[in-house]
Amino acid sequence: MYRLRRLRKSQALRDSAAQTHLSLSNLVMPYFVREGRKMRQPVSAMPGVFRFSQDELLKEVEQLRRAGISSLILFGVSGEKDDSGANAYSENGLIQKMVRALKKNFGDELAVITDVCLCGYTKHGHCGVIEKSHKVTKSQSRQIKIDNNKTINILAKIALSHARAGADIVAPSSMMDGQVQAIREGLDKNGFSQTAIMGYSAKFASNFYGPFREAAGSGMKFGNRKSYQMDFRNSDEALREIELDIQEGADIVMVKPALAYLDIIAKAKENFAIPLAAFNVSGEYAMVKAYAQSVEAEKELAIEILTSIKRAGADIIISYWAKDLGQWLKT
Ligand code: PBG
Ligand code: ZN
């Protein structure tokens, strides 16, 4: 008889044989930011998540640092929307101001990542510019057409404005073809060769983004994102997306969501020697919030989930539990 239970006998033995360890340095905390003052506005679909004004964000990040987390990703909740997302690259825009304030207060001790997309800044809520020739009627609303090349030019402008504000890493999430290349070229031409790119490389058209869209006010007015985000039936295509992002100059590639896509994470890790990120998304977080009956139960679930993402092969994990986990692991 093989007695595999020998090494399960005590916590000390289990710990000594454990293969996977969460590390706070690999965790990224997402933050939703908004205009205003003294705002710390709860997001109803995501208990424990808030939209912060600049003053409150600075206080919050102080706590984040104390919890042992030193990197974050910013999402803007903008009230100023148009058809092409022009407010996303204004020099004095929401994200640009937040990045400057964070960098002024925390310097290089904090890694600042910015999400680069249009959906929070367009009236229609899509991640790209809708083709001019394309009039949206009710019957056509299922097959909207996004102008790829117009969109990647705008993404390059947004990324450049974030880099100018001091972002360490820009993270294009709109799933347009060639977005990483357009951004890399724009950054390099303007003297930002040291700004890194984290591609949302294999981002699936997922049903797990619902709570995020409420938080960011970035839901679509019509149609869906299936003509640009990936079909969840595919895995070869995910590897091609990742390979292309690497060729285009990505420094980090990402798989998103995480939990229903652990197979993709594992394949990506097996196939590419590059830092791999996984986004443990809003719906994954909200499901646990709905299910866990106590903080203790939530903590155990979060640790199991994040460990499984790491075990699958993710080097970097973006998670709404990042700060909590820092606090939990310290106490
Ligand atoms: C914007 C963006 C989304 C997420 C990250 N960046 C939503 C979407 O594509 O609709 C989802 C993150 C989450 O659900 O936690 N393109
Ligand atoms: Zn988007």
Side-chain angles (χ1 to χ4, degrees):
M1 194 189 291
Y2 290 98
R3 295 198 180 270
L4 292 178
R5 290 182 56 206
R6 274 183 205 119
L7 297 182
R8 296 180 200 145
K9 206 168 57 183
S10 68
Q11 188 66 46
L13 281 167
R14 290 192 292 273
D15 285 348
S16 70
Q19 281 188 279
T20 310
H21 301 278
L22 286 175
S23 160
L24 298 187
S25 64
N26 298 134
L27 291 176
V28 180
M29 181 70 193
Y31 282 117
F32 297 100
V33 295
R34 49 159 298 156
E35 298 285 358
R37 301 188 61 199
K38 296 204 163 86
M39 303 290 289
R40 190 192 167 92
Q41 193 177 50
V43 176
S44 63
M46 301 176 75
V49 172
F50 304 85
R51 304 186 193 94
F52 294 97
S53 57
Q54 183 179 308
D55 48 347
E56 290 293 321
L57 180 73
L58 292 175
K59 286 190 225 163
E60 167 71 19
V61 173
E62 194 68 53
Q63 281 181 29
L64 180 75
R65 297 273 300 120
R66 245 180 273 139
I69 306 290
S70 36
S71 92
L72 55 78
I73 180 165
L74 295 179
F75 299 96
V77 186
S78 175
E80 291 173 60
K81 300 176 195 265
D82 59 19
D83 284 335
S84 64
N87 282 301
Y89 55 84
S90 104
E91 217 52 62
N92 258 321
L94 184 56
I95 294 293
Q96 294 78 359
K97 283 191 291 195
M98 296 289 173
V99 172
R100 277 195 296 267
L102 287 170
K103 278 291 159 185
K104 190 171 161 223
N105 277 266
F106 301 99
D108 279 345
E109 282 177 21
L110 183 74
V112 175
I113 309 173
T114 57
D115 185 82
V116 175
C117 201
L118 264 57
C119 49
Y121 301 85
T122 50
K123 282 185 179 154
H124 44 71
H126 279 285
C127 303
V129 182
I130 294 178
E131 273 185 20
K132 268 240 166 61
S133 61
H134 189 74
K135 287 218 184 63
V136 181
T137 64
K138 266 233 167 87
S139 62
Q140 289 171 321
S141 68
R142 289 161 155 274
Q143 31 177 329
I144 55 120
K145 291 206 178 96
I146 302 288
D147 187 325
N148 193 90
N149 293 6
K150 221 181 236 170
T151 302
I152 62 177
N153 285 332
I154 297 173
L155 293 172
K157 284 192 199 174
I158 299 172
L160 179 59
S161 74
H162 292 178
R164 284 204 167 107
D168 297 292
I169 305 179
V170 292
S173 69
S174 94
M175 286 300 283
M176 293 298 124
D177 292 329
Q179 61 183 11
V180 170
Q181 183 177 334
I183 289 172
R184 187 70 271 158
E185 281 172 4
L187 291 173
D188 289 351
K189 260 199 324 234
N190 289 279
F192 291 92
S193 62
Q194 291 305 307
T195 307
I197 300 176
M198 174 166 75
Y200 280 72
S201 311
K203 176 176 178 180
F204 289 85
S206 169
N207 298 289
F208 286 100
Y209 305 151
F212 174 97
R213 290 175 190 163
E214 186 212 304
S218 63
M220 310 74 84
K221 290 271 146 46
F222 46 79
N224 58 51
R225 304 212 199 287
K226 292 184 185 181
S227 78
Y228 42 103
Q229 298 180 348
M230 271 192 60
D231 188 319
F232 56 70
R233 292 171 292 190
N234 299 342
S235 60
D236 288 348
E237 190 185 352
L239 297 183
R240 295 193 69 206
E241 282 283 5
I242 292 168
E243 186 174 21
L244 282 168
D245 272 12
I246 295 170
Q247 280 173 19
E248 290 179 26
D251 301 280
I252 300 169
V253 294
M254 191 203 295
V255 172
K256 177 187 168 190
L259 211 43
Y261 298 83
L262 294 177
D263 58 323
I264 309 289
I265 295 173
K267 280 193 180 153
K269 192 60 199 170
E270 216 173 276
N271 280 275
F272 303 104
I274 185 169
L276 174 64
F279 201 138
N280 173 215
V281 301
S282 58
E284 300 173 321
Y285 173 83
M287 280 198 305
V288 171
K289 284 283 181 181
Y291 165 69
Q293 297 296 306
S294 66
V295 177
E296 191 54 30
E298 181 189 356
K299 172 186 162 181
E300 295 302 325
L301 278 158
I303 290 175
E304 181 179 346
I305 288 168
L306 295 174
T307 303
S308 74
I309 295 168
K310 180 120 188 207
R311 192 187 62 230
D315 301 301
I316 298 165
I317 304 175
I318 303 169
S319 173
Y320 300 95
W321 279 300
K323 183 182 161 210
D324 286 347
L325 195 83
Q327 288 168 343
W328 288 333
L329 295 187
K330 279 200 161 170
T331 48

